Amino acid sequence: MYEEFFGFTAKPFELVPDPEFLYLSRVHKKAITYLEYGIRERNGFLLITGEIGSGKTTIIRNILKSLDEKVTLSKIFNTKVTSEQLLAMINDDFGLDVAGKDKIALLRQLNEFLVDEFVAGRQPVILIDEAQNLDIDLLEEVRLLSNLETDKSKLVQIILVGQPELRRTLADGRLRQLRQRICISCHIDHLSKAEVEEYIFHRLEKAGNRSAVEFGEGAIDLIYLFSRGVPRLINIICDFLLLSAFVEEKKVICTDLVKEVIGEIESESKFWGDESGDEKPRMTAANGKALEEMSAKVTRLEATLGDGGVASSELANLSEQIKMLEKILNGTVLALQSRIDSTDASISEMRLDMEELFKLIKMVDKGGKQLPDPPKKGFWNWMAS
């Protein structure tokens, strides 16, 4: 609709995960490098996680475009299924006839197919997206698929892609064997403030006109604050901004326009909470006191206004300031909470790494004594001793 006005050859902020528009942030480069290396080296399980809208699907599609012709791929995107349905979908995507076959027949069929692929010099890969929907039993079923092997080589490689909840599920003690088979693991974090600006201009350039619009002072800061660095939300905000600028025939995005668009988006979609108030942000004492003082001042002004002592414009201006303060506080607190969630995922990943390190330690002869298993709590104190 606005492409001609801004001189674009395509819409820059489509929600479709188009690899042509892939912005390689530090973590996205890392994830792609890990995936390419893992597939090339035929490592066992590969694990990629990231928040909703962080760019996981775009990365996957980018990898799929660059796969070697010897790779035979089975892609699974529907994970709310039974173990038999999952197996049938894997076989079907490999091009096998699954009609009328039970689980035992499906397993036999898959094993024969993988052996044939191995003999032909091809590399079968199973990619399971939205893997956070798989429960512990299904993940164990997936692990068992990796037992299909010859005397010298694994017959299939498995890539698990999902949201951070997947890491919490994998931390369950019942999935220790699966964790030990994960050779490469990477978490895709949110974009930093600097990366958000680079991301926006990268997509404008890919769409045909990097200088299509100018962002006023503080405009990109507000986009970062509300989106928390999530690419999908940046796309939603910027698409609305371009549409609004087109309607007003402007090519400068000011903070007032960003505030207006963010207000409309949040009132419609409630990205960071719901109307029931289940996600109330926690405020610091200082910020809470500042807000209380402003609210008290409004109350006093309202009383004075009733006596005709204060202009209504002053009251309206103060109310607007309070609304903006609330938005900034909410955005800041929720952004911090998002960082905490990402840190939790990193800690879970570190725990898995330390378990792998402990396996190596146990291989070292300690005077004929085998080290005991690490405790569930106080792990670092135990390691120091």
Side-chain angles (χ1 to χ4, degrees):
M1 185 176 188
Y2 53 68
E3 292 95 313
E4 184 177 351
F5 178 75
F6 291 112
F8 294 136
T9 56
K11 288 187 69 175
F13 298 103
E14 288 277 22
L15 296 183
V16 178
D18 186 351
E20 296 296 327
F21 281 81
L22 177 62
Y23 167 72
L24 293 177
S25 70
R26 180 184 58 82
V27 292
H28 288 82
K29 288 179 183 177
K30 178 181 175 182
I32 289 175
T33 301
Y34 279 16
L35 277 173
E36 289 178 342
Y37 174 80
I39 294 173
R40 184 174 64 250
E41 297 299 319
R42 302 196 177 198
N43 288 321
F45 277 85
L46 309 182
L47 174 65
I48 301 293
T49 57
E51 294 288 352
I52 297 172
S54 61
K56 300 185 298 297
T57 303
T58 307
I59 287 176
I60 291 171
R61 294 192 178 185
N62 182 77
I63 291 294
L64 297 184
K65 286 179 62 178
S66 62
L67 286 178
D68 187 277
E69 60 182 12
K70 291 184 179 180
V71 173
T72 306
L73 184 68
S74 175
K75 307 180 296 296
I76 304 301
F77 295 100
N78 179 13
T79 50
K80 292 189 176 182
V81 292
T82 65
S83 61
E84 187 170 332
Q85 290 171 333
L86 179 63
L87 188 57
M89 288 192 298
I90 290 172
N91 288 14
D92 182 65
D93 211 54
F94 273 137
L96 306 177
D97 181 13
V98 300
K101 291 182 171 61
D102 60 14
K103 187 174 180 179
I104 295 176
L106 289 169
L107 280 170
R108 185 184 302 114
Q109 180 189 47
L110 178 59
N111 188 59
E112 291 172 353
F113 170 78
L114 296 178
V115 170
D116 290 342
E117 291 293 289
F118 177 78
V119 172
R122 290 188 288 270
Q123 179 184 355
V125 174
I126 299 173
L127 189 153
I128 303 178
D129 197 6
E130 301 296 341
Q132 76 278 351
N133 294 326
L134 301 177
D135 59 23
I136 290 176
D137 291 335
L138 268 177
L139 284 168
E140 181 62 12
E141 292 271 1
V142 172
R143 180 191 70 80
L144 292 174
L145 292 181
S146 68
N147 288 337
L148 301 175
E149 57 189 4
T150 66
D151 292 337
K152 296 183 179 181
S153 176
K154 291 288 185 183
L155 292 177
V156 66
Q157 185 174 27
I158 300 174
I159 303 173
L160 297 176
V161 182
Q163 295 169 24
E165 304 93 271
L166 175 59
R167 290 184 179 273
R168 293 193 281 273
T169 303
L170 289 171
D172 190 286
R174 290 169 288 178
L175 292 174
R176 176 178 294 181
Q177 292 188 71
L178 174 54
R179 291 202 305 272
Q180 292 174 350
R181 296 191 183 191
I182 296 175
C183 299
I184 289 180
S185 173
C186 184
H187 181 74
I188 303 173
D189 206 349
H190 298 166
L191 302 181
S192 67
K193 181 179 175 182
E195 287 174 333
V196 168
E197 183 171 359
E198 293 173 4
Y199 174 86
I200 291 172
F201 283 104
H202 167 80
R203 294 192 71 103
L204 291 175
E205 183 175 350
K206 286 293 183 180
N209 189 1
R210 182 182 178 89
S211 57
V213 292
E214 177 184 343
F215 288 88
E217 183 178 357
I220 291 181
D221 290 349
L222 287 176
I223 295 172
Y224 166 72
L225 184 65
F226 179 76
S227 70
R228 299 189 224 168
V230 177
R232 184 179 298 167
L233 290 185
I234 297 171
N235 286 1
I236 291 174
I237 296 169
C238 288
D239 186 49
F240 270 89
L241 284 172
L242 290 178
L243 180 60
S244 298
F246 165 70
V247 171
E248 298 180 17
E249 297 186 351
K250 295 180 178 179
K251 292 192 177 181
V252 176
I253 305 294
C254 61
T255 54
D256 287 342
L257 183 58
V258 177
K259 292 174 188 175
E260 179 183 337
V261 166
I262 287 176
E264 291 175 356
I265 291 174
E266 181 64 359
S267 65
E268 290 289 332
S269 305
K270 299 290 181 184
F271 287 111
W272 301 126
D274 57 33
E275 294 179 358
S276 64
D278 291 336
E279 282 193 41
K280 290 185 181 296
R282 299 183 295 275
M283 295 185 182
T284 64
N287 289 338
K289 185 178 180 181
L291 191 58
E292 288 176 2
E293 289 175 352
M294 292 189 79
S295 297
K297 188 174 181 181
V298 169
T299 302
R300 291 195 301 271
L301 284 173
E302 285 176 335
T304 308
L305 184 62
D307 298 331
V310 179
S312 60
S313 60
E314 182 180 349
L315 179 61
N317 182 55
L318 187 58
S319 297
E320 182 63 26
Q321 290 180 36
I322 291 176
K323 290 178 183 178
M324 282 307 303
L325 177 59
E326 287 177 329
K327 283 186 178 181
I328 292 172
L329 289 173
N330 291 354
T332 302
V333 171
L334 290 171
L336 288 172
Q337 186 61 49
S338 176
R339 292 294 181 186
I340 291 171
D341 292 341
S342 296
T343 302
D344 288 342
S346 298
I347 291 173
S348 297
E349 184 174 349
M350 187 184 299
R351 172 79 190 195
L352 299 183
D353 291 341
M354 291 306 298
E355 288 184 358
E356 293 299 314
L357 176 60
F358 179 70
K359 286 194 303 180
L360 297 177
I361 294 174
K362 290 182 71 174
M363 295 178 185
V364 179
D365 184 18
K366 295 287 185 178
K369 295 181 180 180
Q370 188 181 44
L371 292 175
D373 287 334
K376 294 295 183 183
K377 294 184 179 180
F379 181 78
W380 299 109
N381 291 334
W382 175 84
M383 282 292 292
S385 65

